[in-house]
């Protein structure tokens, strides 16, 4: 038993945070001269780790941060009773969305944080449950995150064969389009759109003969503490969108907007704006832009202060056409209320092409072409001339797309 405790102590010393914890625990050891007490004090107590218990037959083990720490018991969740076998379920420890809303308050000049990332290591071979039927293999895995307002996932390894299809389901309903081999990218990652709610089921189907070709590793479960208007299954941020006269729904007519014909000059540019998530935790916005060759390359310009870098650009998920279906009177309570912007037009993944902090600019190239059905406009640009006024197409607090005008001389 003493040798086991010693190995435990050595492992903890290899982690800088746990090293300080070990020194504190060692003081208790000297004070009480108790090996048993040392072992108990050294037991991990981080809130992201469920309580340890013996792994029994039929259980699988969840790994947080690449380390196996807790078993997951396959359970029959509500709505699954008619299935021939239970679904492997990861039950995350509860967390307080209310506390996290206060802990990292929005900062000027920084992206809006909406979620907290939880590192995991989950693969179809180590977790969940496989079934075979009619020449196809089916893998299911369920995530339950009590207290989460929404969920999104980051896969550190994603490569599917041609017959495979990965779905994100909540309440047995498909939340966003399925992911397929068309989503395979050179960087090997996949980051999903945000889905409202505290539960999410992953469903993977593939031809039996191609099952061995599936490369899938879930590395991050991102639990939302801030509701997002572009979370699948959720309309918008609850009554927190600005109501000011300058926040005009982009679908408003020139007359409804209160700014007259000036609005109609920017109908194309409105279609270029997109809001996005980064690292599964932050949100910011930007615009699709054209290039001098006019060849349709999916470039997207955003602010340098949003934090997009070569190391995390693959985690960008850009939403298009997130706008209300009707014009709400600027400055009214309705304008700051719930909207109905769609959330099913998106691109996942990008690569940094240029950044220049002096002008607060970052340019990325999206991994995939923008679907023509989304009717996204590639905004133009010019290095000459001086603008006569300022116009901003934006997503205040991630609510539906608005346009604002400043007619004062620049």
């Amino acid at each position: 038993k003493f040798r086991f405790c010693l190995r435990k102590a050595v492992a903890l010393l290899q982690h800088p945070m746990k090293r300080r914890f070990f020194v504190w625990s060692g003081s208790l050891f000297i004070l009480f001269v108790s090996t048993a007490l040392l072992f108990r004090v050294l037991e991990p107590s981080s809130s992201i780790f469920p309580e340890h218990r013996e792994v029994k037959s039929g259980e699988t083990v969840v790994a947080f941060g690449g380390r196996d720490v807790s078993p997951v018991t396959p359970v029959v969740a509500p709505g699954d009773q008619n299935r021939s076998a239970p679904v492997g379920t990861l039950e995350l420890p509860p967390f307080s969305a209310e506390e996290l809303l206060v802990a990292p308050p929005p900062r000027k000049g920084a992206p809006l944080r909406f979620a907290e990332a939880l590192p995991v290591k989950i693969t179809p071979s180590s977790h969940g449950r496989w079934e075979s039927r009619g020449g196809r293999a089916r893998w299911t895995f369920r995530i339950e995150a009590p207290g989460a307002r929404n969920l999104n996932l980051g896969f550190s390894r994603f490569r599917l064969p041609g017959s495979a299809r990965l779905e994100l389901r909540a309440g047995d309903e498909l939340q966003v389009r399925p992911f397929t081999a068309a989503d395979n990218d050179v960087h090997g990652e996949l980051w999903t759109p945000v889905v409202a709610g505290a539960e999410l089921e992953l469903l993977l189907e593939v031809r039996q003969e191609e099952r061995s070709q599936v490369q899938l590793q879930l590395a991050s479960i991102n639990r939302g503490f801030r509701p997002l208007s572009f979370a699948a299954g959720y309309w918008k941020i609850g009554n927190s969108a600005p109501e000011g006269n300058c926040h005009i729904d982009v679908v408003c007519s020139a007359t409804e907007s209160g700014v007259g014909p000036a609005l109609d000059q920017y109908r194309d540019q409105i279609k270029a704006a997109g809001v996005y998530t980064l690292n599964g935790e932050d949100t910011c916005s930007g615009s699709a832009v054209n290039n001098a060759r006019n060849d349709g390359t999916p470039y997207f310009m955003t602010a340098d202060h949003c934090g997009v870098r070569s190391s995390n650009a693959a985690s960008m998920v850009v939403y298009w056409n997130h706008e209300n279906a009707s014009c709400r009177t600027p400055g009214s309570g309705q304008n700051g209320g719930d909207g109905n912007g769609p959330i099913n037009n998106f691109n996942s993944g990008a690569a940094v092409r240029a950044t220049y902090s002096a002008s607060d600019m970052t340019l990325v190239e999206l991994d995939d072409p923008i679907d023509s059905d989304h009717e996204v406009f590639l905004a133009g640009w010019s290095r000459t001339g001086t603008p006569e006024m300022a116009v901003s197409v934006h997503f205040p607090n991630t609510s539906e797309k608005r346009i604002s005008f400043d007619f004062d001389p620049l």
Side-chain angles (χ1 to χ4, degrees):
K1 183 175 181 181
F2 180 79
R3 287 196 300 270
F4 177 78
C5 292
L6 183 60
R7 290 197 301 270
K8 186 84 171 178
V10 172
L12 287 167
L13 280 171
Q14 294 174 348
H15 193 290
M17 292 296 292
K18 296 289 180 77
R19 187 180 300 120
R20 293 194 292 271
F21 191 32
F22 179 78
V23 171
W24 175 75
S25 300
S27 299
L28 288 179
F29 172 76
I30 295 172
L31 179 62
F32 296 105
V33 196
S34 170
T35 301
L37 181 59
L38 174 64
F39 174 71
R40 179 172 295 275
V41 172
L42 289 176
E43 199 68 46
S45 60
S46 172
S47 62
I48 68 171
F49 298 141
E51 181 181 354
H52 286 248
R53 55 188 172 87
E54 181 182 357
V55 179
K56 301 177 181 179
S57 175
E59 294 182 337
T60 53
V61 177
V62 177
F64 292 94
R67 185 165 60 119
D68 292 339
V69 297
S70 172
V72 176
T73 305
V75 298
V76 178
D80 295 331
Q81 289 85 348
N82 296 327
R83 296 182 180 176
S84 58
V87 177
T89 299
L90 167 58
E91 300 179 52
L92 298 178
F95 88 134
S96 174
E98 290 73 18
E99 290 181 3
L100 288 170
L101 272 173
V102 178
R107 294 171 296 139
K108 185 176 182 179
L112 178 69
R113 176 145 295 187
F114 72 95
E116 182 180 65
L118 182 64
V120 296
K121 186 178 180 182
I122 296 172
T123 69
S125 61
S126 62
H127 301 85
R129 187 167 187 93
W130 281 100
E131 298 174 305
S132 296
R133 186 179 303 168
R136 294 188 67 82
R138 181 183 187 185
W139 176 72
T140 49
F141 185 69
R142 186 181 181 88
I143 298 169
E144 296 180 356
R149 303 286 179 83
N150 49 66
L151 295 168
N152 73 91
L153 308 176
F155 292 88
S156 60
R157 187 165 67 247
F158 180 90
R159 183 157 294 277
L160 298 182
S163 67
R165 169 188 173 107
L166 176 65
E167 297 180 354
L168 303 183
R169 290 183 168 270
D172 209 31
E173 293 185 1
L174 184 66
Q175 295 299 303
V176 295
R177 68 162 178 81
F179 297 96
T180 66
D183 295 292
N184 296 341
D185 284 300
V186 175
H187 50 66
E189 299 180 30
L190 176 76
W191 293 74
T192 74
V194 180
V195 175
E199 298 181 2
L200 193 61
E201 184 178 2
L202 281 66
L203 191 155
L204 172 70
E205 287 191 340
V206 61
R207 278 167 35 189
Q208 188 67 48
E209 60 268 27
E210 291 188 335
R211 173 176 163 176
S212 62
Q213 299 177 35
V214 172
Q215 298 181 38
L216 203 63
Q217 180 169 304
L218 178 60
S220 184
I221 299 175
N222 310 305
R223 299 178 292 178
F225 55 82
R226 190 186 307 278
L228 289 182
S229 63
F230 49 87
Y234 187 86
W235 288 121
K236 70 179 294 293
I237 247 180
N239 295 320
S240 65
E243 301 176 11
N245 290 331
C246 63
H247 299 289
I248 304 166
D249 275 314
V250 295
V251 298
C252 290
S253 68
T255 301
E256 292 171 323
S257 70
V259 298
L263 177 60
D264 290 333
Q265 299 178 38
Y266 296 94
R267 294 298 179 187
D268 287 336
Q269 288 76 13
I270 286 171
K271 297 178 182 178
V275 60
Y276 65 90
T277 55
L278 183 68
N279 300 319
E281 295 183 298
D282 299 320
T283 180
C284 226
S285 61
S287 175
V289 293
N290 206 351
N291 62 20
R293 290 191 297 269
N294 199 30
D295 59 8
T297 300
Y299 289 124
F300 185 84
M301 184 176 292
T302 185
D304 174 72
H305 72 252
C306 289
V308 180
R309 301 293 181 261
S310 296
S311 59
N312 64 9
S315 72
M316 288 183 69
V317 180
V318 183
Y319 292 81
W320 309 109
N321 300 316
H322 182 59
E323 55 195 55
N324 203 53
S326 61
C327 176
R328 294 165 291 186
T329 302
S332 67
Q334 184 187 28
N335 190 38
D338 291 344
N340 60 2
I343 46 77
N344 53 355
N345 299 167
F346 66 88
N347 275 66
S348 179
V352 172
R353 296 303 182 215
T355 188
Y356 188 55
S357 58
S359 61
D360 197 21
M361 180 280 298
T362 293
L363 179 70
V364 304
E365 181 179 344
L366 303 178
D367 284 344
D368 304 306
I370 301 171
D371 192 326
S372 59
D373 289 342
H374 300 343
E375 298 184 347
V376 175
F377 179 76
L378 302 182
W381 49 271
S382 174
R383 293 183 296 177
T384 64
T386 301
E388 297 178 356
M389 63 181 184
V391 181
S392 173
V393 181
H394 58 129
F395 301 83
N397 290 343
T398 74
S399 62
E400 285 79 8
K401 190 186 302 183
R402 306 298 214 283
I403 187 169
S404 301
F405 294 83
D406 182 357
F407 295 101
D408 294 332
L410 298 180

